[in-house]
Amino acid sequence: ANLIPRFYDPDDGRISIGGVDIRQFSLHDLRSCMGVVTQTPTMFPGSVASNIRIGRPDASDTEVIEAASRAHAHEFIVGVLDDGYETSVGELGNRLSGGQRQRIALARAILRDPAILILDEPTSAVDQKSERLIHQALREFTVGRITILISHHLPSLLLADSIAVMDEGRIVDIGKHDELRERCPQYARLFGSQQDRHAG
């Protein structure tokens, strides 16, 4: 996740977009076409609206609300938070739950409307209701754009058109969920342990 927007460069090999090594793009041009949602999204001092608007500072209030609605965040913003979109998120977002922070981060990415969306464990720290809503938003928003989803969590993996299984830093197989469950031991182990947990 950190290599794609060039927070780091690879020690060996290269990362290409459309056959062009990303080191040939300026950092501004490269990052301006990307949106990132991480496991612990950064919240900045200020209101909910200002945190969403970081995705695109010139966005109108209507556009902010539309992005929040698409991220399934609008309902809790106006129905739960005391001051709606003007509610202060607190230090590092400590006035919000994990699920609320994730949906605000997703609204920020939706407002940015990036060509490439990078999701790094976006639902690992949220409750089941938030996870369901985030998955619903992602199913709609990822259509027609390159999306790179990093996850150990089975419901998130099921959103993917193609899954690359990594083991000790190397890709060991690529395929769809059902294919990998049948032929890839590493994937089958992950799938089996999660099935056991859900059954328990």
Side-chain angles (χ1 to χ4, degrees), residues 9 14 50 65 74 88 107 127 145 149 157 160 174:
D9 282 328
R14 68 178 195 152
S50 67
I65 292 169
H74 178 74
S88 169
D127 58 49
R145 76 186 70 236
L149 169 62
L157 296 174
I174 298 176

Side-chain angles (χ1 to χ4, degrees), residues 141-162:
F141 184 61
T142 55
V143 173
R145 76 186 70 236
I146 296 169
T147 305
I148 298 164
L149 169 62
I150 300 163
S151 182
H152 294 85
H153 194 41
L154 185 61
S156 296
L157 296 174
L158 295 177
L159 295 171
D161 297 319
S162 181

Side-chain angles (χ1 to χ4, degrees), residues 17 69 160 174:
I17 297 176
S69 297
I174 298 176

Side-chain angles (χ1 to χ4, degrees), residues 91-106:
E91 187 72 23
L92 301 177
N94 64 1
R95 293 187 178 176
L96 304 172
S97 70
Q100 289 170 342
R101 286 194 296 272
Q102 287 298 89
R103 280 181 274 166
I104 288 172
L106 184 56

Side-chain angles (χ1 to χ4, degrees), residues 3 33 46 52 59 81 88-89 92 103 111-112 134 156 166 187:
L3 291 172
C33 71
I52 296 173
L81 303 183
S88 169
V89 302
L92 301 177
R103 280 181 274 166
L111 184 64
R112 189 172 178 79
I134 290 168
S156 296
M166 297 192 72
Y187 190 83

Side-chain angles (χ1 to χ4, degrees), residues 171-192:
I171 294 176
V172 296
D173 206 342
I174 298 176
K176 295 186 178 298
H177 168 71
D178 290 336
E179 299 168 348
L180 294 170
R181 189 177 56 175
E182 292 297 321
R183 72 175 185 230
C184 178
Q186 293 92 336
Y187 190 83
R189 278 198 302 273
L190 177 66
F191 174 78

